[in-house]
């Protein structure tokens, strides 16, 4: 599967999560949980767009750092946004330490993307 397809799927799920949060959860969650859910959606969507960029760069043959960026971004969405979604919905508190690991994946993904672009320039 291409990174553009993964990015499109991430965007689809991010928009669904955002709509679910705004229409289904807003009346049911306290302000802090709703804010946590909205943070998860924001990062999910930003990095879904990032995956679309990764797909475009991989198509231009920017090499393995670009592909690694896609894998790290995908892992980051799952770990960072996924753990925040669960925590906002009352998931177990042991998920809390997973969130920073997802954040590190997202940071590393952008670093890999930077390296890919600089090497290609």
């Amino acid at each position: 599967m291409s990174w553009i397809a993964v990015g499109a799927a991430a965007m689809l799920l991010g928009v669904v999560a955002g709509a679910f949060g705004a229409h289904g959860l807003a009346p049911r969650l306290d302000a802090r949980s709703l804010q946590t859910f909205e943070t998860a959606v924001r990062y999910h969507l930003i990095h879904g767009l990032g995956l679309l960029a990764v797909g475009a760069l991989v198509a231009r043959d920017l090499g393995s750092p670009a592909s690694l960026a896609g894998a790290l971004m995908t892992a980051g969405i799952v770990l960072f946004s996924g753990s925040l979604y669960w925590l906002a919905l009352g998931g177990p508190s042991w998920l809390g330490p997973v969130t920073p690991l997802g954040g590190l994946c997202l940071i590393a993904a952008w670093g890999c993307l930077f390296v890919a672009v600089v090497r290609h320039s």
Side-chain angles (χ1 to χ4, degrees):
M1 182 180 310
S2 75
W3 288 117
I4 292 176
V6 174
M11 292 300 294
L12 170 73
L13 294 172
V15 171
V16 168
F20 177 64
H23 301 291
L25 295 177
R28 295 184 170 98
L29 293 181
D30 60 50
R32 182 167 184 200
S33 295
L34 190 58
Q35 184 179 17
T36 298
F37 196 89
E38 289 171 351
T39 298
V41 170
R42 185 177 334 110
Y43 277 81
H44 186 151
L45 290 172
I46 289 167
H47 292 89
L49 290 173
L51 283 166
L52 295 174
V54 166
L57 294 172
V58 167
R60 295 187 64 192
D61 199 27
L62 263 67
S64 59
S67 289
L68 179 57
L72 287 166
M73 230 174 257
T74 302
I77 290 170
V78 170
L79 295 172
F80 184 85
S81 292
S83 64
L84 288 180
Y85 289 138
W86 279 102
L87 288 168
L89 296 171
S93 60
W94 61 261
L95 283 172
V98 173
T99 308
L101 294 175
L104 288 173
C105 288
L106 297 173
I107 292 165
W110 289 108
C112 287
L113 206 54
F114 174 77
V115 167
V117 171
V118 168
R119 279 187 185 173
H120 189 70
S121 297

